[in-house]
Amino acid sequence: MQSFGYAAKAANTALEPVEFKRRDLQAGDVHIDIHYCGVCHSDLHMARNEWGVSQFPLVPGHEIVGRVVATGSDVTAFKAGDLVGVGVMVDSCGHCAQCHGGEEQYCEEGFTATYNSEEKTIGGMTFGGYSDSIVVDSKFVVSVPDNLALSAVAPLLCAGVTTWSPLKHWNVQPGQRVGIIGLGGLGHMAVKLASALGAEVVLFTTSPAKGADALRLGASQVVVSKDAAQMESVKNSLDMILDCVAAPHDLDPYLNALKTNGHLVLVGIPDSPHTSPNVTPIVFKRLSISGTSIGSIKETQQMLDFCGQHNIVSDVEVISLDQVEEAFERMLKGDVKYRFVIDMKAGR
């Protein structure tokens, strides 16, 4: 079926309008009319082939929300008119241990990404959510609560679940102290979710100017990580720290802030390695340094249900498709609070 979107046709050119074909509706598929799509920093990396894996033309976008237009004959979980979302993956092998265990994000064969990945059903490459519609296997579609602003839901499909998954995996409980490093697209969602789970949230930032916003979002305390005295004040006080910064930095000060048995969990991927951490506190306080990717489809649905119950959405700035390149440039400067979202109906 015919679809319209914006595509990068080369790494050194701006995104431009393009028409392309989606696969015909299969028995297990859902056809979605896209209303909004979040702009993730990875979209910029992929459009400019900064990771060296991009296949052009490339239609970015993996924070998708919209309404069901039609369903295949085998689909019972969704019907036309339902509010739904699609995140970072649209398929997996379905038969490895991880897929059978409900953790398809760790599929041993690699999950099928929403864009720039091999389309298993008809061949070719997948195209993402910078477009007017998408056809997806219903197993990779989630329901969206109808009480939330749809534009602000879109980033939950990536930034939301990426921070929700470690908070739930490490079983964050009310009264625990959780540190969040960085107040960007991921970090601001981590603050909101950890706070709603009942944790006392400490936000680490290099920018004192972000303090007031962190407190507004739910942090109990703001620590300027460049200030040695402030870092000393939280020594041995945190149960878990979620590191949302995608730039190389020294991990040792954050290990010092953890209690015995504490966890430092990395979700940001830097373009060069972090400095190797000091082993001594890891050994003598039985600390762990871990990493986690996006969440499973089950976790994504749990996160959306939780957000619906607690009225949690991302802080967004809504743009039109023809403003994407400007949004990319502003993202590079950190000039967004905290996520751009494309209105697919604007100007059409």
Side-chain angles (χ1 to χ4, degrees):
M1 57 184 70
Q2 199 70 13
S3 192
F4 166 83
Y6 260 45
K9 293 188 175 179
N12 58 354
T13 61
L15 272 67
E16 59 183 273
V18 64
E19 291 190 353
F20 59 97
K21 292 188 183 298
R22 298 286 189 187
R23 71 179 185 233
D24 290 334
L25 197 68
Q26 308 295 306
D29 284 346
V30 174
H31 179 202
I32 301 166
D33 177 32
I34 299 175
H35 289 207
Y36 297 96
C37 183
V39 179
C40 181
H41 207 110
S42 60
D43 298 343
L44 172 59
H45 290 310
M46 292 295 291
R48 296 185 177 173
N49 199 23
E50 293 175 350
W51 291 333
V53 297
S54 301
Q55 301 288 317
F56 298 102
L58 181 147
V59 178
H62 59 212
E63 299 177 347
I64 300 166
V65 291
R67 287 193 183 273
V68 175
V69 175
T71 61
S73 58
D74 291 346
V75 177
T76 58
F78 305 101
K79 64 183 185 303
D82 285 351
L83 285 173
V84 294
V86 177
V88 178
M89 55 186 168
V90 293
D91 207 350
S92 66
C93 80
H95 55 73
C96 71
Q98 279 64 44
C99 288
H100 280 304
E103 292 190 322
E104 53 280 314
Q105 74 273 31
Y106 300 118
C107 175
E108 291 178 7
E109 296 183 13
F111 64 77
T112 300
T114 305
Y115 66 90
N116 198 62
S117 198
E118 183 181 353
E119 162 66 85
K120 294 181 179 179
T121 302
I122 60 172
M125 301 299 287
T126 56
F127 294 114
Y130 291 15
S131 57
D132 57 0
S133 67
I134 192 168
V135 177
V136 181
D137 187 319
S138 63
K139 294 191 295 292
F140 290 83
V141 177
V142 289
S143 296
V144 172
D146 60 9
N147 63 307
L148 301 176
L150 203 57
S151 61
V153 167
L156 301 182
L157 277 302
C158 176
V161 73
T162 297
T163 51
W164 171 265
S165 182
L167 292 172
K168 293 302 289 183
H169 181 79
W170 276 275
N171 195 30
V172 168
Q173 296 293 312
Q176 289 187 322
R177 283 171 56 82
V178 174
I180 308 295
I181 307 175
L183 194 67
L186 289 173
H188 96 286
M189 285 308 311
V191 170
K192 289 188 178 190
L193 292 169
S195 176
L197 286 167
E200 183 180 342
V201 177
V202 177
L203 188 280
F204 293 96
T205 179
T206 58
S207 175
K210 291 187 176 180
D213 226 18
L215 296 174
R216 174 185 66 84
L217 293 167
S220 302
Q221 182 180 357
V222 176
V223 173
V224 178
S225 55
K226 293 179 179 179
D227 187 317
Q230 290 191 35
M231 291 297 290
E232 181 67 20
S233 73
V234 292
K235 186 175 181 179
N236 298 323
S237 70
L238 302 178
D239 298 283
M240 173 186 177
I241 297 177
L242 189 57
D243 189 342
C244 300
V245 174
H249 54 275
D250 185 2
L251 302 180
D252 287 341
Y254 303 105
L255 293 175
N256 291 335
L258 288 170
K259 298 177 181 177
T260 299
N261 297 316
H263 306 284
L264 174 60
V265 184
L266 312 178
V267 294
I269 302 175
D271 55 10
S272 59
H274 296 303
T275 303
S276 182
N278 180 12
V279 172
T280 303
I282 299 174
V283 171
F284 282 96
K285 294 199 304 184
R286 198 163 55 190
L287 306 179
S288 69
I289 301 176
S290 306
T292 177
S293 181
I294 58 171
S296 66
I297 297 302
K298 181 179 179 180
E299 286 177 317
T300 304
Q301 189 63 68
Q302 290 172 339
M303 177 270 306
L304 286 170
D305 293 343
F306 181 86
C307 288
Q309 294 163 7
H310 294 268
N311 199 31
I312 296 172
V313 290
S314 182
D315 285 23
V316 303
E317 180 177 336
V318 179
I319 62 172
S320 57
L321 260 175
D322 59 5
Q323 295 175 297
V324 168
E325 285 293 331
E326 178 187 347
F328 280 174
E329 293 304 314
R330 287 180 56 192
M331 268 200 315
L332 288 173
K333 301 173 184 175
D335 180 23
V336 56
K337 288 187 175 179
Y338 284 94
R339 206 72 158 187
F340 288 113
V341 172
I342 305 166
D343 181 350
M344 290 302 164
K345 306 299 182 184
R348 300 203 67 216

mmCIF file of all heavy atoms in Angstrom, residues 269-293:
data_model
loop_
_atom_site.group_PDB
_atom_site.id
_atom_site.type_symbol
_atom_site.label_atom_id
_atom_site.label_comp_id
_atom_site.label_asym_id
_atom_site.label_seq_id
_atom_site.Cartn_x
_atom_site.Cartn_y
_atom_site.Cartn_z
ATOM 1 N N ILE A 269 24.680 5.296 25.423
ATOM 2 C CA ILE A 269 25.789 4.658 24.709
ATOM 3 C C ILE A 269 26.708 5.754 24.169
ATOM 4 O O ILE A 269 26.341 6.451 23.217
ATOM 5 C CB ILE A 269 25.281 3.778 23.561
ATOM 6 C CG1 ILE A 269 24.327 2.703 24.081
ATOM 7 C CG2 ILE A 269 26.456 3.132 22.824
ATOM 8 C CD1 ILE A 269 23.691 1.860 23.005
ATOM 9 N N PRO A 270 27.898 5.931 24.749
ATOM 10 C CA PRO A 270 28.797 6.993 24.293
ATOM 11 C C PRO A 270 29.476 6.624 22.976
ATOM 12 O O PRO A 270 29.566 5.447 22.611
ATOM 13 C CB PRO A 270 29.816 7.086 25.432
ATOM 14 C CG PRO A 270 29.847 5.717 26.022
ATOM 15 C CD PRO A 270 28.454 5.177 25.890
ATOM 16 N N ASP A 271 29.955 7.656 22.256
ATOM 17 C CA ASP A 271 30.627 7.394 20.984
ATOM 18 C C ASP A 271 32.066 6.943 21.166
ATOM 19 O O ASP A 271 32.731 6.536 20.213
ATOM 20 C CB ASP A 271 30.570 8.622 20.073
ATOM 21 C CG ASP A 271 31.123 9.873 20.734
ATOM 22 O OD1 ASP A 271 31.723 9.769 21.818
ATOM 23 O OD2 ASP A 271 30.954 10.969 20.168
ATOM 24 N N SER A 272 32.574 7.011 22.401
ATOM 25 C CA SER A 272 33.870 6.414 22.750
ATOM 26 C C SER A 272 33.740 5.889 24.181
ATOM 27 O O SER A 272 32.868 6.326 24.929
ATOM 28 C CB SER A 272 35.001 7.448 22.650
ATOM 29 O OG SER A 272 34.777 8.549 23.500
ATOM 30 N N PRO A 273 34.597 4.941 24.582
ATOM 31 C CA PRO A 273 34.394 4.265 25.867
ATOM 32 C C PRO A 273 34.529 5.191 27.077
ATOM 33 O O PRO A 273 35.280 6.169 27.059
ATOM 34 C CB PRO A 273 35.498 3.198 25.884
ATOM 35 C CG PRO A 273 35.858 2.999 24.455
ATOM 36 C CD PRO A 273 35.688 4.329 23.800
ATOM 37 N N HIS A 274 33.783 4.865 28.141
ATOM 38 C CA HIS A 274 34.006 5.491 29.435
ATOM 39 C C HIS A 274 35.404 5.132 29.938
ATOM 40 O O HIS A 274 35.954 4.064 29.591
ATOM 41 C CB HIS A 274 32.989 4.998 30.480
ATOM 42 C CG HIS A 274 31.573 5.371 30.179
ATOM 43 N ND1 HIS A 274 31.166 6.663 29.994
ATOM 44 C CD2 HIS A 274 30.452 4.602 30.072
ATOM 45 C CE1 HIS A 274 29.861 6.688 29.768
ATOM 46 N NE2 HIS A 274 29.408 5.447 29.811
ATOM 47 N N THR A 275 35.962 5.987 30.770
ATOM 48 C CA THR A 275 37.208 5.639 31.463
ATOM 49 C C THR A 275 36.972 4.398 32.317
ATOM 50 O O THR A 275 35.941 4.280 32.978
ATOM 51 C CB THR A 275 37.666 6.797 32.352
ATOM 52 O OG1 THR A 275 37.808 7.968 31.556
ATOM 53 C CG2 THR A 275 38.984 6.483 33.036
ATOM 54 N N SER A 276 37.914 3.475 32.307
ATOM 55 C CA SER A 276 37.760 2.254 33.095
ATOM 56 C C SER A 276 37.594 2.596 34.572
ATOM 57 O O SER A 276 38.398 3.334 35.139
ATOM 58 C CB SER A 276 38.982 1.352 32.908
ATOM 59 O OG SER A 276 38.830 0.157 33.631
ATOM 60 N N PRO A 277 36.540 2.097 35.223
ATOM 61 C CA PRO A 277 36.280 2.461 36.616
ATOM 62 C C PRO A 277 37.249 1.795 37.589
ATOM 63 O O PRO A 277 37.842 0.752 37.293
ATOM 64 C CB PRO A 277 34.854 1.981 36.854
ATOM 65 C CG PRO A 277 34.686 0.842 35.897
ATOM 66 C CD PRO A 277 35.484 1.217 34.680
ATOM 67 N N ASN A 278 37.370 2.379 38.747
ATOM 68 C CA ASN A 278 38.178 1.833 39.839
ATOM 69 C C ASN A 278 37.496 0.579 40.389
ATOM 70 O O ASN A 278 36.328 0.612 40.774
ATOM 71 C CB ASN A 278 38.329 2.895 40.931
ATOM 72 C CG ASN A 278 39.147 2.415 42.111
ATOM 73 O OD1 ASN A 278 39.794 1.366 42.054
ATOM 74 N ND2 ASN A 278 39.132 3.187 43.179
ATOM 75 N N VAL A 279 38.220 -0.514 40.442
ATOM 76 C CA VAL A 279 37.641 -1.784 40.884
ATOM 77 C C VAL A 279 37.411 -1.823 42.396
ATOM 78 O O VAL A 279 36.505 -2.507 42.885
ATOM 79 C CB VAL A 279 38.556 -2.958 40.456
ATOM 80 C CG1 VAL A 279 38.086 -4.274 41.066
ATOM 81 C CG2 VAL A 279 38.607 -3.058 38.940
ATOM 82 N N THR A 280 38.180 -1.062 43.160
ATOM 83 C CA THR A 280 38.154 -1.166 44.624
ATOM 84 C C THR A 280 36.766 -1.005 45.225
ATOM 85 O O THR A 280 36.316 -1.874 46.000
ATOM 86 C CB THR A 280 39.137 -0.169 45.252
ATOM 87 O OG1 THR A 280 40.439 -0.421 44.725
ATOM 88 C CG2 THR A 280 39.157 -0.313 46.768
ATOM 89 N N PRO A 281 36.014 0.073 44.935
ATOM 90 C CA PRO A 281 34.682 0.168 45.544
ATOM 91 C C PRO A 281 33.726 -0.904 45.056
ATOM 92 O O PRO A 281 32.818 -1.318 45.791
ATOM 93 C CB PRO A 281 34.200 1.562 45.131
ATOM 94 C CG PRO A 281 35.003 1.915 43.926
ATOM 95 C CD PRO A 281 36.324 1.258 44.118
ATOM 96 N N ILE A 282 33.921 -1.385 43.823
ATOM 97 C CA ILE A 282 33.072 -2.453 43.308
ATOM 98 C C ILE A 282 33.244 -3.711 44.151
ATOM 99 O O ILE A 282 32.271 -4.376 44.526
ATOM 100 C CB ILE A 282 33.411 -2.739 41.825
ATOM 101 C CG1 ILE A 282 33.173 -1.490 40.972
ATOM 102 C CG2 ILE A 282 32.593 -3.912 41.295
ATOM 103 C CD1 ILE A 282 33.620 -1.638 39.539
ATOM 104 N N VAL A 283 34.500 -4.009 44.497
ATOM 105 C CA VAL A 283 34.798 -5.204 45.290
ATOM 106 C C VAL A 283 34.355 -5.038 46.736
ATOM 107 O O VAL A 283 33.677 -5.911 47.308
ATOM 108 C CB VAL A 283 36.297 -5.536 45.215
ATOM 109 C CG1 VAL A 283 36.653 -6.642 46.207
ATOM 110 C CG2 VAL A 283 36.690 -5.933 43.798
ATOM 111 N N PHE A 284 34.724 -3.917 47.357
ATOM 112 C CA PHE A 284 34.509 -3.771 48.796
ATOM 113 C C PHE A 284 33.085 -3.371 49.170
ATOM 114 O O PHE A 284 32.710 -3.467 50.344
ATOM 115 C CB PHE A 284 35.524 -2.784 49.377
ATOM 116 C CG PHE A 284 36.885 -3.385 49.563
ATOM 117 C CD1 PHE A 284 37.867 -3.222 48.598
ATOM 118 C CD2 PHE A 284 37.184 -4.157 50.674
ATOM 119 C CE1 PHE A 284 39.122 -3.798 48.748
ATOM 120 C CE2 PHE A 284 38.424 -4.742 50.837
ATOM 121 C CZ PHE A 284 39.406 -4.564 49.875
ATOM 122 N N LYS A 285 32.281 -2.938 48.181
ATOM 123 C CA LYS A 285 30.876 -2.638 48.478
ATOM 124 C C LYS A 285 29.916 -3.554 47.693
ATOM 125 O O LYS A 285 28.713 -3.337 47.721
ATOM 126 C CB LYS A 285 30.556 -1.174 48.168
ATOM 127 C CG LYS A 285 31.290 -0.177 49.075
ATOM 128 C CD LYS A 285 30.652 1.201 49.099
ATOM 129 C CE LYS A 285 30.496 1.858 47.774
ATOM 130 N NZ LYS A 285 29.967 3.221 47.841
ATOM 131 N N ARG A 286 30.478 -4.553 47.020
ATOM 132 C CA ARG A 286 29.681 -5.486 46.219
ATOM 133 C C ARG A 286 28.733 -4.719 45.285
ATOM 134 O O ARG A 286 27.533 -4.942 45.229
ATOM 135 C CB ARG A 286 28.894 -6.444 47.107
ATOM 136 C CG ARG A 286 28.417 -7.693 46.340
ATOM 137 C CD ARG A 286 28.008 -8.823 47.248
ATOM 138 N NE ARG A 286 26.991 -8.437 48.210
ATOM 139 C CZ ARG A 286 26.612 -9.203 49.249
ATOM 140 N NH1 ARG A 286 27.187 -10.380 49.427
ATOM 141 N NH2 ARG A 286 25.684 -8.784 50.074
ATOM 142 N N LEU A 287 29.317 -3.829 44.510
ATOM 143 C CA LEU A 287 28.566 -3.037 43.552
ATOM 144 C C LEU A 287 28.495 -3.752 42.208
ATOM 145 O O LEU A 287 29.289 -4.641 41.926
ATOM 146 C CB LEU A 287 29.231 -1.672 43.362
ATOM 147 C CG LEU A 287 29.478 -0.846 44.627
ATOM 148 C CD1 LEU A 287 30.163 0.471 44.267
ATOM 149 C CD2 LEU A 287 28.169 -0.583 45.373
ATOM 150 N N SER A 288 27.559 -3.336 41.399
ATOM 151 C CA SER A 288 27.481 -3.863 40.035
ATOM 152 C C SER A 288 27.342 -2.718 39.047
ATOM 153 O O SER A 288 26.683 -1.711 39.334
ATOM 154 C CB SER A 288 26.306 -4.827 39.877
ATOM 155 O OG SER A 288 25.072 -4.143 39.955
ATOM 156 N N ILE A 289 27.993 -2.882 37.904
ATOM 157 C CA ILE A 289 27.794 -1.977 36.777
ATOM 158 C C ILE A 289 27.117 -2.792 35.686
ATOM 159 O O ILE A 289 27.636 -3.817 35.252
ATOM 160 C CB ILE A 289 29.124 -1.403 36.264
ATOM 161 C CG1 ILE A 289 29.840 -0.631 37.367
ATOM 162 C CG2 ILE A 289 28.880 -0.499 35.058
ATOM 163 C CD1 ILE A 289 31.211 -0.112 36.947
ATOM 164 N N SER A 290 25.942 -2.351 35.272
ATOM 165 C CA SER A 290 25.138 -3.113 34.318
ATOM 166 C C SER A 290 24.682 -2.205 33.191
ATOM 167 O O SER A 290 24.793 -0.984 33.256
ATOM 168 C CB SER A 290 23.908 -3.724 35.014
ATOM 169 O OG SER A 290 24.277 -4.480 36.147
ATOM 170 N N GLY A 291 24.151 -2.820 32.153
ATOM 171 C CA GLY A 291 23.553 -2.085 31.050
ATOM 172 C C GLY A 291 22.210 -2.686 30.708
ATOM 173 O O GLY A 291 21.920 -3.834 31.039
ATOM 174 N N THR A 292 21.378 -1.897 30.070
ATOM 175 C CA THR A 292 20.073 -2.398 29.664
ATOM 176 C C THR A 292 19.636 -1.669 28.404
ATOM 177 O O THR A 292 19.935 -0.490 28.217
ATOM 178 C CB THR A 292 19.033 -2.235 30.784
ATOM 179 O OG1 THR A 292 17.754 -2.659 30.331
ATOM 180 C CG2 THR A 292 18.935 -0.815 31.259
ATOM 181 N N SER A 293 18.937 -2.404 27.541
ATOM 182 C CA SER A 293 18.470 -1.844 26.276
ATOM 183 C C SER A 293 17.026 -1.382 26.442
ATOM 184 O O SER A 293 16.570 -1.098 27.547
ATOM 185 C CB SER A 293 18.613 -2.905 25.180
ATOM 186 O OG SER A 293 18.208 -2.417 23.933
#
